[in-house]
């Protein structure tokens, strides 16, 4: 077997493994990392326990969807750059296709869907975001200073609801983290089984920043709605810290105020995104397919999906050669503590607006949200079961009342 055919065989094998995970990985980013550990550390032994922990630490440090970035890095380690693409495609396509089909369904046949069902999905979003806020706060806001950063971040974002306001909050929180928190040394680790040259890393990081800074300029110079959309989704994918749920306020600020997607559809899609396996960032595919302007439909879904994940590829490959030095920098670790606390504040603000203010209209809505939250947090039901139950109860309540 030639080197080229061997690489293709490995890439195809990576795709099939991640495709199976893409169909079965319910439960959010933390659960995804558990599935990856069982598959690639325990079962297949692609890397050691320490290497996997270090890889997770790198991807949690970077902005973007941590579980998808870990998958990209695992594919990169196994079959090079084609393997990274194969891992992402396998893990992402099942949920992306399902959400595009859902978007097309409610766009073309929305009148056939009972309004109570969509409202039930919006109420489900309240429970999901509340669970995320509680879980992240318990982990990331463990003392008075971190709680203070969280509360200030939430208040600022509610007073200045814009994507750049959220970016400013994250930057200020990072500076506060450097000033307030003492650095800690990271434990010894095994080297990562991934080889990326410093030159390749620099090129990828340069391209990442060039797109981040250049796309807004290009959107102003060229009268193309597609470039405007790509700019918005690329920027969101570049600036999301703290996990998939944090994408909610950034995306809402980008697509709802200009009228690309209605707030009703936005929250219904976010609720439906909880029912599918795989990364929550595939919510971008739903939004792209739902847009009232071009691009929309399948093309819009694909464009938005590629735009929001593009920063993850560039950052994973770009950061890999420099992670060893960066992970031992105490100031970097301290800044990350402040950023993580601010991220919880962003999500807390999103829990109030738009999630709560758009879904909880009457007492029975509050009751349904409490039931969904208990089902997720204490009964430990699968998210897709809670989604189905919320939609059904929403429909029954609309009939009864």
């Amino acid at each position: 077997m030639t080197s080229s055919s061997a690489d293709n065989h490995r890439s195809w094998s990576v795709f099939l493994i991640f495709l199976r995970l893409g169909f079965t990985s319910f439960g959010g980013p933390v659960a995804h990392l558990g599935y990856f550990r069982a598959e690639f550390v325990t079962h297949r032994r692609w890397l050691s326990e320490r290497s996997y922990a270090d890889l997770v630490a790198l991807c949690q440090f970077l902005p973007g969807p941590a579980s998808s970035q870990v998958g990209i890095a695992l594919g990169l380690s196994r079959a090079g750059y084609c393997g990274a693409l194969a891992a992402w495609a396998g893990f992402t396509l099942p949920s992306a296709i399902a959400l595009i089909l859902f978007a097309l369904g409610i766009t073309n046949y929305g009148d056939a869907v009972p309004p109570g069902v969509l409202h039930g999905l919006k109420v489900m979003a309240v429970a999901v975001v509340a669970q995320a806020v509680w879980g992240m706060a318990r982990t990331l806001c463990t003392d008075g200073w971190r709680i203070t950063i969280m509360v200030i971040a939430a208040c600022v974002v509610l007073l200045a609801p814009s994507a750049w306001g959220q970016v400013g909050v994250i930057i200020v929180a990072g500076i506060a983290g450097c000033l307030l928190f003492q650095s800690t040394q990271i434990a010894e680790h095994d080297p990562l089984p991934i080889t990326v040259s410093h030159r390749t890393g620099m090129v990828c990081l340069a391209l990442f920043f060039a797109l981040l800074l250049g796309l807004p300029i290009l959107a102003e110079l060229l009268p193309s709605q597609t470039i405007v959309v790509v700019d918005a989704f690329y920027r969101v994918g570049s600036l999301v810290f703290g996990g998939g749920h944090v994408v909610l306020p950034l995306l809402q600020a980008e697509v709802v105020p200009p009228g690309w997607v209605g707030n009703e559809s936005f929250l219904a899609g976010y609720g439906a995104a909880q029912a599918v396996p795989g990364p929550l960032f595939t919510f971008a595919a739903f939004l792209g397919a739902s847009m009232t302007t071009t691009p929309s439909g399948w093309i819009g879904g694909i464009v938005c999906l590629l735009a929001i994940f593009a920063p993850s590829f560039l950052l994973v490959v770009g950061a890999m050669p420099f992670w060893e030095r960066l992970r031992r920098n105490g100031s970097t670790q301290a800044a990350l503590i402040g950023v993580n606390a601010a991220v919880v504040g962003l999500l807390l603000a999103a829990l109030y607006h738009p999630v709560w203010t758009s879904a909880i209209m009457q007492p029975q809505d509050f009751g349904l949200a409490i039931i969904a939250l208990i089902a997720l947090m204490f009964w430990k039901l699968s998210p897709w079961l809670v989604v189905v139950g919320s939609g059904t109860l929403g429909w029954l309540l609309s009939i009864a009342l």
Side-chain angles (χ1 to χ4, degrees):
M1 184 180 292
T2 65
S3 175
S4 177
S5 61
D7 289 343
N8 291 336
H9 177 75
R10 283 196 298 268
S11 297
W12 180 245
S13 175
V14 167
F15 174 77
L16 292 178
I17 293 168
F18 275 92
L19 183 65
R20 177 174 56 80
L21 289 168
F23 275 110
T24 58
S25 296
F26 290 91
V30 175
H32 298 164
L33 295 175
Y35 293 133
F36 289 171
R37 178 186 173 278
E39 182 72 29
F40 301 112
V41 178
T42 304
H43 176 56
R44 298 185 181 275
R45 301 186 183 277
W46 283 9
L47 69 173
S48 70
E49 191 78 63
R50 279 186 173 181
S51 292
Y52 181 71
D54 204 48
L55 185 59
V56 171
L58 167 61
C59 295
Q60 288 179 329
F61 173 81
L62 297 173
S67 60
S68 293
Q69 289 171 329
V70 169
I72 291 168
L74 288 168
L76 180 67
S77 71
R78 190 65 177 176
Y81 299 111
C82 289
L85 183 61
W88 172 80
F91 190 56
T92 305
L93 286 179
S95 57
I97 292 172
L99 289 173
I100 290 176
L101 290 174
F102 178 72
L104 295 177
I106 64 173
T107 299
N108 298 320
Y109 307 104
D111 294 338
V113 180
V117 173
L118 296 180
H119 190 70
L121 294 179
K122 289 163 58 181
V123 173
M124 163 68 180
V126 176
V128 170
V129 178
Q131 181 191 30
V133 170
W134 176 254
M136 293 174 67
R138 291 183 63 186
T139 303
L140 301 175
C141 301
T142 55
D143 57 38
W145 280 118
R146 298 182 211 203
I147 293 173
T148 300
I149 292 173
M150 175 191 71
V151 172
I152 292 174
C155 293
V156 170
V157 169
L158 287 172
L159 291 172
S162 69
W164 289 112
Q166 295 160 359
V167 174
V169 165
I170 289 174
I171 293 172
V172 173
I175 296 172
C178 287
L179 299 175
L180 294 172
F181 303 110
Q182 291 185 340
S183 62
T184 57
Q185 285 294 323
I186 308 301
E188 290 299 319
H189 68 292
D190 296 336
L192 293 175
I194 303 172
T195 302
V196 176
S197 68
H198 281 72
R199 181 177 180 179
T200 300
M202 288 294 294
V203 169
C204 287
L205 290 178
L207 183 57
F208 167 79
F209 285 108
L211 290 172
L212 184 61
L213 299 175
L215 281 172
I217 299 173
L218 199 60
E220 289 289 334
L221 296 177
L222 298 178
S224 170
Q225 179 64 21
T226 300
I227 294 177
V228 173
V229 169
V230 169
D231 170 42
F233 280 80
Y234 183 88
R235 185 166 60 251
V236 169
S238 302
L239 301 173
V240 171
F241 287 87
H245 291 291
V246 184
V247 80
L248 174 68
L250 290 176
L251 282 178
Q252 194 272 344
E254 293 289 352
V255 304
V256 174
W260 297 349
V261 177
N263 205 47
E264 297 283 322
S265 295
F266 182 91
L267 289 175
Y270 185 74
Q274 314 307 316
V276 296
L280 189 57
F281 266 50
T282 54
F283 181 42
F286 168 88
L287 295 175
S290 301
M291 286 192 177
T292 57
T293 181
T294 56
S296 62
W298 282 100
I299 298 298
I302 293 169
V303 166
C304 293
L305 187 72
L306 294 176
I308 202 169
F309 276 104
S312 295
F313 279 92
L314 296 174
L315 285 170
V316 167
V317 177
M320 201 65 67
F322 308 102
W323 175 234
E324 178 61 31
R325 182 182 303 174
L326 192 62
R327 73 190 301 280
R328 295 184 178 278
N329 186 295
S331 296
T332 301
Q333 299 299 323
L336 193 59
I337 293 174
V339 168
N340 285 335
V343 160
V344 181
L346 297 186
L347 200 56
L348 179 61
L351 175 60
Y352 173 71
H353 182 75
V355 177
W356 181 281
T357 56
S358 298
I360 307 301
M361 304 295 184
Q362 45 198 347
Q364 56 265 33
D365 295 336
F366 179 73
L368 179 55
I370 292 295
I371 292 172
L373 184 61
I374 291 173
L376 288 170
M377 293 186 66
F378 300 104
W379 299 342
K380 307 296 183 183
L381 295 183
S382 297
W384 71 269
L385 282 175
V386 182
V387 168
V388 172
S390 297
T392 303
L393 286 176
W395 173 61
L396 293 174
L397 286 172
S398 70
I399 295 175
L401 299 174

